[in-house]
């Protein structure tokens, strides 16, 4: 364990280490920090001594991170981000975010994710004026005067920036009433059952850990265009459907829906926050992204438990 005085030194040594890694040179890091090259070298030596590991292999021209150095580089970068966010948050008390922010997201994100997060931000920043557009269509940010778009699945090449928020799984669910009506469920073929399908689920496959696959198709289909509509249709007992577990957790917990073939899952799809800012995101959007990431991690952790 480090004593308190050593921890104080360690924090700044990590910041110096982060600058060395990002600049790729002791000389450039020294110039950026306003130190001499020998002082920067001494900070790194002290850090290595305190941690009792080698962080860098140095030659006359290059710096190569060791395995321990790669781990510390990641943590040091997080430390820099934390300090930057903290400073921005403190400054925000004097210059709090205000005015309009425009965000679009799919319908399924409204109830349990986007709206509660925006509500919290409105309490924190009373002068904020959010404009939320919930649609499963992909709206262009600039054309629709938006600050951010939450988008699912592969993204088209563009000049926009994409921040990975999390991953949506796909599980097969049905209502207890429908499951009782069909009797014994035959896992080898879904064609005998009513399926509630979404536009992106054409030729969709379900797979298990043993390498077995089942095609998600049937002659008895109810086609809907949003995940919310699919979930509502499944709850009404018209058939079974393939939906992300994060959006039906409450229904599964309460027994309104049950999993079907729990050993099988459909494809996973990434969720992104799309924006056009070239520099750092405005504070309120950074807070929104951080909260959304946190909700994804929390809900995923609850699913695993």
């Amino acid at each position: 364990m480090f004593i308190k005085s050593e921890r104080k030194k360690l924090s700044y040594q990590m910041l110096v280490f982060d600058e060395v890694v990002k600049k790729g040179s002791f000389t450039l890091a020294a110039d950026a920090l306003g130190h001499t090259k020998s002082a920067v070298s001494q900070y790194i030596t002290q850090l290595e001594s305190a941690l009792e590991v080698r962080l860098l292999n140095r030659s006359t021209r290059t710096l190569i991170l060791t395995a321990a150095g790669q781990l510390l580089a990641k943590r040091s970068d997080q430390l820099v981000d934390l300090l930057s966010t903290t400073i921005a948050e403190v400054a925000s008390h004097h210059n709090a975010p205000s005015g309009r922010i425009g965000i679009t997201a799919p319908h399924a994100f409204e109830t349990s994710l986007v709206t509660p997060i925006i509500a919290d931000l409105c309490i924190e920043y009373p002068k904020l004026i959010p404009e939320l557009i919930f649609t499963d269509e992909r709206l262009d940010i600039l054309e629709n005067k938006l600050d951010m778009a939450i988008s699912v699945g592969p993204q088209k090449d563009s000049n926009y920036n994409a921040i990975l928020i999390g991953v949506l799984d796909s599980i097969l669910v049905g209502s207890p009433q429908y499951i009782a009506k069909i009797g014994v469920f035959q896992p080898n073929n879904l064609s005998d059952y009513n399926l509630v399908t979404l536009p992106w689920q054409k030729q969709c496959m379900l797979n298990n850990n043993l390498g077995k696959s089942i095609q998600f198709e049937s002659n008895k289909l109810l086609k809907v265009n949003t995940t919310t509509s699919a979930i509502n249709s499944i709850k009404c007992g018209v058939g079974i459907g393939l939906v992300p577990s994060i959006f039906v957790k409450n229904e599964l917990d309460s027994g309104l829906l049950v999993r079907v073939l729990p050993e099988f899952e459909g494809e996973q799809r990434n969720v992104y926050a799309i924006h056009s800012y070239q520099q750092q995101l405005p504070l309120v959007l950074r807070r929104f992204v951080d909260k959304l990431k946190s909700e994804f991690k929390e809900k995923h952790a609850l699913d695993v438990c």
Side-chain angles (χ1 to χ4, degrees):
M1 290 290 293
F2 295 101
I3 62 176
K4 189 173 182 180
S5 60
E6 290 175 331
R7 288 201 301 268
K8 290 181 178 178
K9 293 179 182 178
L10 185 64
S11 298
Y12 188 71
Q13 289 163 357
M14 288 176 64
L15 297 178
V16 173
F17 177 70
D18 178 77
E19 196 67 30
V20 170
V21 172
K22 288 177 178 175
K23 298 297 185 184
S25 149
F26 280 74
T27 301
L28 294 177
D31 290 341
L33 294 170
H35 291 313
T36 63
K37 180 180 177 182
S38 60
V40 169
S41 180
Q42 187 176 6
Y43 278 122
I44 302 303
T45 300
Q46 291 171 352
L47 182 58
E48 290 178 324
S49 177
L51 298 176
E52 298 181 345
V53 293
R54 177 174 287 277
L55 302 171
L56 294 165
N57 290 319
R58 310 159 197 171
S59 69
T60 55
R61 294 185 178 180
T62 59
L63 299 176
I64 301 174
L65 290 173
T66 64
Q70 292 175 5
L71 176 60
L72 189 67
K74 180 179 179 181
R75 298 304 184 193
S76 298
D77 184 57
Q78 291 172 343
L79 177 61
V80 172
D81 285 344
L82 176 61
L83 288 172
S84 299
T85 300
T86 302
I87 292 170
E89 287 176 351
V90 172
S92 73
H93 286 280
H94 299 285
N95 188 23
S98 62
R100 177 188 178 275
I101 58 165
I103 298 175
T104 182
H107 288 285
F109 286 73
E110 178 180 355
T111 302
S112 61
L113 291 170
V114 173
T115 300
I117 291 173
I118 291 297
D120 286 343
L121 291 174
C122 285
I123 294 172
E124 188 172 355
Y125 306 117
K127 295 182 180 180
L128 205 60
I129 306 174
E131 181 177 333
L132 306 180
I133 301 175
F134 294 104
T135 174
D136 283 10
E137 296 181 21
R138 289 187 174 180
L139 301 181
D140 183 84
I141 293 174
L142 296 180
E143 287 181 6
N144 293 275
K145 299 180 181 179
L146 297 168
D147 295 283
M148 182 166 285
I150 304 303
S151 185
V152 180
Q155 302 299 306
K156 296 180 179 179
D157 291 335
S158 71
N159 294 324
Y160 296 146
N161 300 303
I163 302 171
L164 179 62
I165 298 296
V167 178
L168 291 180
D169 59 6
S170 299
I171 62 171
L172 204 59
V173 297
S175 69
Q177 296 85 351
Y178 181 76
I179 301 302
K181 183 172 67 175
I182 63 176
V184 179
F185 197 86
Q186 300 295 329
N188 295 325
N189 193 346
L190 298 179
S191 61
D192 294 332
Y193 307 106
N194 296 341
L195 300 185
V196 180
T197 66
L198 290 155
W200 54 86
Q201 292 177 338
K202 295 176 182 178
Q203 299 181 337
C204 182
M205 301 296 295
L206 290 84
N207 303 290
N208 66 8
N209 292 331
L210 301 177
K212 185 175 180 180
S213 298
I214 302 174
Q215 190 158 6
F216 185 66
E217 66 174 4
S218 172
N219 294 323
K220 308 169 185 177
L221 299 178
L222 170 61
K223 298 180 180 181
V224 296
N225 66 335
T226 71
T227 300
T228 302
S229 297
I231 293 170
N232 289 333
S233 299
I234 298 165
K235 285 161 61 176
C236 289
V238 299
I240 57 178
L242 197 59
V243 297
S245 61
I246 193 172
F247 299 132
V248 291
K249 183 184 183 306
N250 292 337
E251 287 82 356
L252 291 172
D253 289 343
S254 66
L256 283 174
L257 294 176
V258 296
R259 287 200 64 172
V260 179
L261 301 178
E263 66 276 19
F264 284 87
E265 289 193 6
E267 68 170 339
Q268 294 187 338
R269 297 186 299 154
N270 289 337
V271 179
Y272 298 96
I274 310 299
H275 67 88
S276 61
Y277 291 90
Q278 298 305 312
Q279 304 298 324
Q280 189 179 45
L281 280 175
L283 174 61
V284 67
L285 292 179
R286 294 204 307 274
R287 296 294 307 282
F288 173 75
V289 168
D290 289 343
K291 285 176 176 287
L292 191 55
K293 284 183 177 180
S294 179
E295 284 295 317
F296 259 80
K297 288 181 181 179
E298 182 179 342
K299 292 179 184 296
H300 178 70
L302 291 173
D303 290 337
V304 172
C305 292

